[in-house]
């Protein structure tokens, strides 16, 4: 059985006369959505697949759909006759426009077979002359089809060969997504063999030497793979030695290598082409001339076969010599190769006569990390999930490697300056600070992929509202690595006099398969996120902030709790309070979730305007109403029921005033202010929010002994044990009856994707603040409240928060961290018309 291979990412043209079996072939070898039929497109635009007057419009539609699929990286098969060069040329152009390969599969059947098939079809009414004309056109162009831009032209002759063939998908040469590493990605070597050997040994590689002591390969005891970003040759003292070592590693499967512009030029020179002998090419040619013919021939074959870039680790890593914008990842065309080898130039030259390169990395927003070289810089630095590893070793700088996925940089110094640079090594200038949000990163409707909540939609109208808040009021975005999610209350209780009760929270988690929960005291304060570095140097290194102290304390909407000196003093107090955590967690920075107490410290204006005004009005109005009713009763009027109702309302109003007063206490500056920490969200290299259960967090934070810290009490409940559940209920009653807000019930451990991360169970008296003094008279109405929307929101925001922390700990660029952070704020914002 014959086998033909088509590109896994590309365009395939089925070519053959009407009746050659193209549609049948397509159905047998390709998925339904992969095939675009010209007949079907005629039907779409003309209600009749045979309406030849609709052909032009049909091919417009077909071209649009094909282009969209190719842009999205999907194999696309065009089922049309395609016997005319002009028709094929338009589709080949479309493939080149999207930088994909294009193959043709020609179904060459005898004319008689095609005519007979058409006569048997009730939906065809054209004569045999149509088939004969198409066959003539096919024969005239078949010999030159290979020169029309096709990667391959597969000609299947006769019905038997067509029926016996098997079609397989062939990944492009640059597609190595199945390789996950770990990798050591090495920057531009430029013939510096000594430094390369030193770097490999520093990375733990063991060199393989021949009898003459020359390095002919290397292996890593941990199974790591080296990836070279190109420019192995030119300028340096030992180009043949570098090639010998790298070729041996690649041949043994220990390394990959992409082509650099210097390899491309050296290949042309070795093939005898007229090239300008400059930029170190003369050194390579002279060094290779002194080597045996076998090495030169092997080096030429090796360099000539190098691909422009590699896509690795499931698409999360791309290695290209000069970098590669996201639209080109995994693609294959002349312009993709040109970009990968030379970068994107502006067409201008600088004062040294060298091309001015467009700073593509400033605008990069791709998911994949792009490692590259080409343009020497004094030190490798991250820019928008890209990193340039050419640190100018041949110019006296360093040879640098990136350890992936660890994202660690390892460098060795140059042994000397081997080649005088035309221009000094300077860091690339940036026209926009890459560490802050760009409007385009968050505006409009966004779909954010998270590992913890799937794909989360952030509507444009919510994003518009959040943008106003964040741009005007938020702390420096470099601190803003997390925003806390909303939390759903427990399902409504049916117990007399209760809207919320622990029994419903316990039952909900038991139904979700949770065995054990942690009941955590819910403090009535203001949610506070503490981001803290050990010292100012750590703040500058890890957060990029050198002039704002060593941390910040901000609200659930990203605003600083206190401005100026008061804010700085709070950070210093928090630093003293949390100092033991730096040692115990072996970290230089941390992010802690807290409540800032008392509630009145930041909510006094709200208390006076919204709560106290209601309480004061009730205190004045209800006694006056009661006195009038007493007078009416003395006159013999029947107002007993109304008097009882007013009395109940007076009692409710008194309870309402007592409820909010319980969370008010005098503060002066920071005097009287405390923090109640309950979770360590993130530290260097770790995510305790994901890795540790709630008891671990509460025990760790409960051991802090500082006047700023208010401990968070907690209780563990075994859901299969009724006595343990009863103990949890009793503990909650004790908290709420003594003036506490209530508790939060959380799974003991990291919850599943669809399990609520926490359910709040608030006390009877506290709920007067939320629903009003007389809410107990409306329990039946309140119990019918729908929690589905709130629960969905809690899950999505929780997932976004964890995604932001994960990205920050992994060292991703700040705009990537901010997208999920901004998403939380947007989902919490009231929608506004984004056109305003």
């Amino acid at each position: 059985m014959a086998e033909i291979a088509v590109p896994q990412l590309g365009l395939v043209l089925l070519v053959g006369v009407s009746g050659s079996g193209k549609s049948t072939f397509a159905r047998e070898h390709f998925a339904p959505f992969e095939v675009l039929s010209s007949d079907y497109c005629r039907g779409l635009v003309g209600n009749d697949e045979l309406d030849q007057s609709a052909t032009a419009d049909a091919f417009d539609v077909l071209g649009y759909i094909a282009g969209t699929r190719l842009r999205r990286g999907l194999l696309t098969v065009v089922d049309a006759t395609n016997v005319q060069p002009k028709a094929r040329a338009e589709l080949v152009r479309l493939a080149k426009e999207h930088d994909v390969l294009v193959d043709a599969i020609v179904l060459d059947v005898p004319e008689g077979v095609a005519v007979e098939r058409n006569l048997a079809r009730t939906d065809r009414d054209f004569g045999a002359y149509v088939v004969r004309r198409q066959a003539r056109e096919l024969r005239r162009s078949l010999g030159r089809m290979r020169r029309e831009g096709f990667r391959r032209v597969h000609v299947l002759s006769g019905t038997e060969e067509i029926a016996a063939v098997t079609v397989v998908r062939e990944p492009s040469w640059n597609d190595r997504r199945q390789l996950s590493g770990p990798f050591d990605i090495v920057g531009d070597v430029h013939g510096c063999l000594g430094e390369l050997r030193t770097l490999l040994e520093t990375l733990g590689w063991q060199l393989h030497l021949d009898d003459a002591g020359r390095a002919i390969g290397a292996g890593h005891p941990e199974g790591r793979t080296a990836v070279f970003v190109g420019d192995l040759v030119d300028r340096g003292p030992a180009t043949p030695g570098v090639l010998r070592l790298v070729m041996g590693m690649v041949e043994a499967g220990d390394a990959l290598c992409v082509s650099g512009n210097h390899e491309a030029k050296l290949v042309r020179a070795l093939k005898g082409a007229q090239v300008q002998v400059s930029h170190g090419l003369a050194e390579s040619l002279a060094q290779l001339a002194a080597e045996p013919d076998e090495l030169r021939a092997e080096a030429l074959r090796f360099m000539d076969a190098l691909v422009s870039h590699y896509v690795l680790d499931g698409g999360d890593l791309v290695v290209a010599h000069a970098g590669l914008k996201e639209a080109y990842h995994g693609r294959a065309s002349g312009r993709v190769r040109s970009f990968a080898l030379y970068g994107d130039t502006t067409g201008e030259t600088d004062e040294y006569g060298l091309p001015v390169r467009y700073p593509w990395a400033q605008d990069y927003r791709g998911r994949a990390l792009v490692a590259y070289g080409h343009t020497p810089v004094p030190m490798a630095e991250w820019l928008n999930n890209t990193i340039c590893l050419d640190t100018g070793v041949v110019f006296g700088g360093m040879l640098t490697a990136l350890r992936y996925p660890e994202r660690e940089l390892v460098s060795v110094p140059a042994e000397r300056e081997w080649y005088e640079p035309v221009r000094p090594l300077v860091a690339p200038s940036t026209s926009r600070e890459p560490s802050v949000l760009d409007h385009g990163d968050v505006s409009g409707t966004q779909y954010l992929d998270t590992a913890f909540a799937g794909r989360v939609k952030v509507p444009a109208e919510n994003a518009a509202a959040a943008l106003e808040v964040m741009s005007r009021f938020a702390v420096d975005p470099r601190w803003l690595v997390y925003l806390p999610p909303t939390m759903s209350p427990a399902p409504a209780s049916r117990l007399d006099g209760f809207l919320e009760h622990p029994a419903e929270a316990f039952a909900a988690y038991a139904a979700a398969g949770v065995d054990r929960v942690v009941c955590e005291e819910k403090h009535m304060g203001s949610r506070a996120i503490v981001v803290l570095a050990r010292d100012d140097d750590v703040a500058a290194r890890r957060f990029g902030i050198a002039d704002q102290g060593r941390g910040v304390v901000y609200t659930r909407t990203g605003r600083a709790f206190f401005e100026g000196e008061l804010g700085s003093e709070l950070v210093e107090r928090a630093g003293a309070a949390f100092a033991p955590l730096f040692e115990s967690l072996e970290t230089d920075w941390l992010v802690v979730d807290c409540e800032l107490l008392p509630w009145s410290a930041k909510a006094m204006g709200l208390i006076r305007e919204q709560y106290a005004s209601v309480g004061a009005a009730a205190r004045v109005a209800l006694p006056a109403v009661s006195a009038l009713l007493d007078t009416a009763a003395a006159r013999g009027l029947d107002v007993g029921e109304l008097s009882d109702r007013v009395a109940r309302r007076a009692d409710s109003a008194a309870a309402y005033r007592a409820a909010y007063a319980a969370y008010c206490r005098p503060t002066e500056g920071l005097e009287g202010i405390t923090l109640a920490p309950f979770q360590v969200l993130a530290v260097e290299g770790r995510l305790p929010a994901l890795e540790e259960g709630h008891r671990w967090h509460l025990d760790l934070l409960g051991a802090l002994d500082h006047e700023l810290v208010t401990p968070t009490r907690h209780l563990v409940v075994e859901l299969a044990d009724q006595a343990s559940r009863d103990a949890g209920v009793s503990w909650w009653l004790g908290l709420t009856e003594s003036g506490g807000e209530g508790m939060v019930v959380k799974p003991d451990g990291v919850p599943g994707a669809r399990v609520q991360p926490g359910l709040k169970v608030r006390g009877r008296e506290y709920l007067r603040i939320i629903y009003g003094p007389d809410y107990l008279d409306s329990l039946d109405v309140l119990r019918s409240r729908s929690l589905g929307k709130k629960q969905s929101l809690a899950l999505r925001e929780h997932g976004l928060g964890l995604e932001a922390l994960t990205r920050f700990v992994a060292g991703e660029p700040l705009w990537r961290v901010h997208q999920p952070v901004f998403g939380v704020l947007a989902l919490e914002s009231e929608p506004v018309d984004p056109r305003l």
Side-chain angles (χ1 to χ4, degrees):
M1 180 179 291
E3 181 179 275
I4 60 175
V6 298
Q8 186 168 283
L9 167 56
L11 182 65
V12 176
L13 271 59
L14 300 183
V15 182
V17 301
S18 179
S20 59
K22 297 183 299 300
S23 298
T24 301
F25 186 89
R27 284 194 300 270
E28 291 176 351
H29 297 286
F30 301 100
F33 291 122
E34 292 177 332
V35 180
L36 300 179
S37 164
S38 59
D39 287 346
Y40 181 73
C41 289
R42 282 192 196 91
L44 284 177
V45 300
N47 284 336
D48 184 354
E49 292 186 353
L50 300 181
D51 183 1
Q52 296 302 309
S53 68
T55 296
D57 290 334
F59 274 92
D60 281 345
V61 170
L62 187 148
Y64 175 79
I65 298 174
T68 302
R69 287 182 58 85
L70 295 176
R71 175 176 57 79
R72 294 173 59 84
L74 301 174
L75 173 65
T76 303
V77 180
V78 176
D79 174 13
T81 55
N82 292 318
V83 294
Q84 296 176 332
K86 181 179 180 181
R88 295 192 297 269
E90 184 62 24
L91 292 168
V92 170
R93 182 201 61 76
L94 187 67
K96 290 182 177 179
E97 180 181 314
H98 291 87
D99 304 292
V100 298
L101 301 172
V102 55
D103 278 14
I105 300 177
V106 180
L107 306 186
D108 188 11
V109 301
E111 287 184 28
V113 172
V115 170
E116 184 178 347
R117 287 175 176 174
N118 282 317
L119 290 174
R121 296 178 62 176
T122 58
D123 60 343
R124 292 289 187 267
D125 59 357
F126 49 76
Y129 72 93
V130 174
V131 173
R132 288 194 291 271
R133 174 174 53 77
Q134 293 173 348
R136 286 196 302 271
E137 291 172 336
L138 177 59
R139 284 194 297 272
R140 278 199 298 266
S141 62
L142 190 57
R144 59 175 181 269
M145 278 182 63
R146 301 182 191 278
R147 300 192 297 272
E148 293 179 5
F150 292 102
R151 182 191 69 147
R152 293 174 185 153
V153 178
H154 311 276
V155 180
L156 304 177
S157 299
T159 57
E160 292 184 2
E161 186 174 354
I162 293 171
V165 78
T166 299
V167 178
V168 297
R169 317 296 177 90
E170 185 177 64
S172 61
W173 291 344
N174 55 40
D175 188 348
R176 298 291 184 91
R177 297 168 195 268
Q178 76 279 9
L179 301 180
S180 58
F183 300 110
D184 292 331
I185 308 168
V186 181
D188 300 38
V189 180
H190 280 301
C192 297
L193 178 61
E195 291 88 343
L196 176 57
R197 293 179 58 155
T198 301
L199 177 63
L200 289 174
E201 290 174 337
T202 302
L203 292 166
W205 287 77
Q206 297 172 354
L207 297 175
H208 303 155
L209 309 179
D210 64 9
D211 294 339
R214 297 175 301 189
I216 57 173
H220 200 286
E222 298 175 5
R224 301 183 72 88
T225 300
V227 186
F228 294 91
V229 305
D231 277 7
L232 303 172
V233 303
D234 292 354
R235 295 178 175 149
T239 284
V242 170
L243 287 170
R244 187 181 288 111
L245 171 55
V246 175
M247 287 190 300
M249 294 175 69
V250 171
E251 184 178 1
D254 295 313
L256 299 169
C257 183
V258 300
S259 179
N261 60 300
H262 282 263
E263 280 82 27
K265 188 175 183 181
L266 180 55
V267 165
R268 295 197 302 273
L270 291 175
K271 287 183 174 181
Q274 290 291 105
V275 297
Q276 185 177 2
V277 182
S278 59
H279 302 300
L281 177 60
E283 286 76 4
S284 289
L285 291 173
Q287 293 164 20
L288 286 169
E291 295 291 333
D293 292 343
E294 293 80 3
L295 178 65
R296 285 197 301 276
E298 184 182 355
L300 176 57
R301 285 193 299 270
F302 171 75
M303 292 184 292
D304 199 21
L306 293 176
V307 300
S308 65
H309 70 284
Y310 279 118
V311 179
L312 304 164
D313 193 22
D316 288 340
L317 173 64
V318 170
V319 179
H321 176 62
L324 205 63
K325 60 185 181 181
E326 186 179 23
Y328 289 167
H329 293 181
R331 307 282 169 149
S333 70
R335 66 175 174 179
V336 170
R337 184 173 180 83
S338 177
F339 194 110
L341 264 60
Y342 305 103
D344 196 5
T345 61
T346 65
E348 304 168 297
T349 56
D350 60 17
E351 64 269 31
Y352 304 102
L354 297 175
V356 176
R357 307 197 182 281
Y358 181 78
W360 65 273
Q362 290 183 29
D363 301 319
Y364 181 73
R365 289 295 184 269
R367 174 177 65 91
L369 184 163
V370 180
Y372 64 103
H374 189 54
T375 305
V377 293
M379 184 173 295
E381 294 183 354
W382 293 100
L383 177 61
N384 291 334
N385 210 24
T386 77
I387 189 163
C388 178
L389 297 174
D390 182 1
T391 47
V393 60
V394 76
F395 302 126
M398 300 179 293
L399 183 60
T400 298
L402 169 69
R403 291 170 60 89
Y404 177 95
E406 299 89 343
R407 298 174 77 100
E408 296 173 1
L409 292 168
V410 178
S411 299
V412 298
E415 296 175 358
R416 49 164 285 191
E417 181 185 284
W418 299 103
Y419 197 90
E420 184 178 357
V422 175
R423 61 183 172 199
L425 269 65
V426 294
S429 61
T430 57
S431 60
R432 178 173 78 83
E433 172 57 53
S435 64
V436 298
L437 277 173
D438 181 79
H439 180 267
D441 296 329
V442 295
S443 61
T445 298
Q446 301 281 321
Y447 293 89
L448 304 180
D449 290 316
T450 75
F452 314 99
R455 174 165 288 188
V456 178
K457 178 183 178 181
V458 180
E461 54 269 25
N462 294 79
L467 190 60
E468 171 76 6
V469 173
M470 184 168 283
S471 60
R472 293 184 60 190
F473 305 113
V475 299
D476 188 310
R478 291 171 291 184
W479 292 124
L480 201 58
V481 298
Y482 176 79
L483 284 180
T486 189
M487 185 180 297
S488 173
S493 173
R494 293 295 171 181
L495 293 175
D496 187 35
F498 289 96
L499 178 61
E500 296 177 10
H501 192 274
E504 276 65 37
F506 296 157
Y509 278 122
V514 177
D515 298 324
R516 182 185 300 111
V517 295
V518 177
C519 299
E520 178 184 298
E521 177 184 10
K522 192 174 192 306
H523 299 280
M524 181 52 175
S526 303
R527 193 72 170 267
I529 304 300
V530 178
V531 181
L532 196 63
R534 187 190 291 269
D535 51 42
D536 290 354
D537 290 339
V538 174
R541 172 178 56 81
R542 189 60 178 88
F543 294 89
I545 299 178
D547 56 355
Q548 299 179 28
R550 62 182 182 126
V552 70
V553 181
Y554 57 80
T555 70
R556 64 179 302 113
T557 58
R559 307 182 190 209
F561 264 102
F562 300 102
E563 302 288 347
E565 293 184 2
L566 210 57
S568 299
E569 184 181 348
L570 179 59
V571 168
E572 289 307 311
R573 289 193 184 186
F578 296 153
L581 299 180
F582 291 114
E583 300 302 327
S584 63
L585 298 177
E586 300 180 342
T587 184
D588 285 335
W589 60 268
L590 46 85
V591 182
V592 184
D593 207 348
C594 311
E595 286 281 338
L596 186 139
L597 307 174
W599 181 43
S600 56
K602 291 301 289 182
M604 187 55 75
L606 177 69
I607 293 169
R608 287 197 182 101
E609 295 172 11
Q610 183 168 318
Y611 298 105
S613 59
V614 173
R619 184 184 303 181
V620 172
L622 290 175
V625 172
S626 182
L628 288 173
L629 291 173
D630 289 343
T631 301
R635 294 171 56 188
L637 298 176
D638 184 10
V639 293
E641 183 177 345
L642 185 56
S643 295
D644 291 342
R645 180 184 172 192
V646 171
R648 288 197 306 274
R649 294 196 66 190
D651 291 340
S652 296
Y656 173 76
R657 292 193 299 272
Y660 67 73
Y663 309 116
C664 301
R665 65 172 184 251
T667 59
E668 181 66 32
L670 294 183
E671 293 304 314
I673 299 292
T674 64
L675 289 173
F678 53 86
Q679 189 171 32
V680 180
L681 295 167
V683 298
E684 181 64 42
R686 288 184 58 203
L687 268 175
L690 273 176
E691 298 167 3
E692 307 290 350
H694 293 291
R695 283 185 291 173
W696 179 90
H697 291 272
L698 294 168
D699 290 343
L700 177 72
L701 295 168
L704 297 175
D705 184 15
H706 192 276
E707 61 181 2
L708 182 67
V709 176
T710 293
T712 299
R713 293 171 288 178
H714 64 283
L715 178 75
V716 177
V717 171
E718 301 286 346
L719 296 181
D721 183 352
Q722 187 59 48
S724 183
R725 288 197 190 194
D726 293 342
V729 172
S730 297
W731 188 73
W732 174 80
L733 288 171
L735 285 176
T736 57
E737 290 173 0
S738 62
E741 177 185 346
M743 68 183 183
V744 177
V745 183
K746 299 178 178 178
D748 186 25
V750 179
R754 305 308 301 173
V755 177
Q756 288 293 318
L759 292 173
K760 54 189 177 184
V761 186
R762 296 162 292 185
R764 280 167 45 103
E765 295 308 313
Y766 169 81
L767 286 173
R768 294 185 191 276
I769 301 175
I770 306 301
Y771 294 111
D774 305 313
Y775 86 99
L776 289 173
D777 295 334
S778 306
L779 278 183
D780 288 341
V781 175
L782 292 173
R783 282 169 176 157
S784 64
R785 61 184 178 171
S786 175
L787 297 180
K789 184 177 180 180
K790 187 74 169 180
Q791 292 171 347
S792 172
L793 191 63
L795 287 171
R796 284 178 284 149
E797 291 183 7
H798 178 70
L800 288 170
L802 291 178
E803 183 69 24
L805 291 171
T806 300
R807 293 180 181 184
F808 180 75
V809 170
E812 295 196 30
L814 198 59
W815 70 267
R816 284 267 298 160
V817 177
H818 268 270
Q819 281 188 321
V821 171
F822 184 88
V824 174
L825 182 61
L827 292 180
E828 285 291 302
S829 302
E830 290 294 327
V832 300
D833 190 334
R835 297 170 296 180
L836 297 178

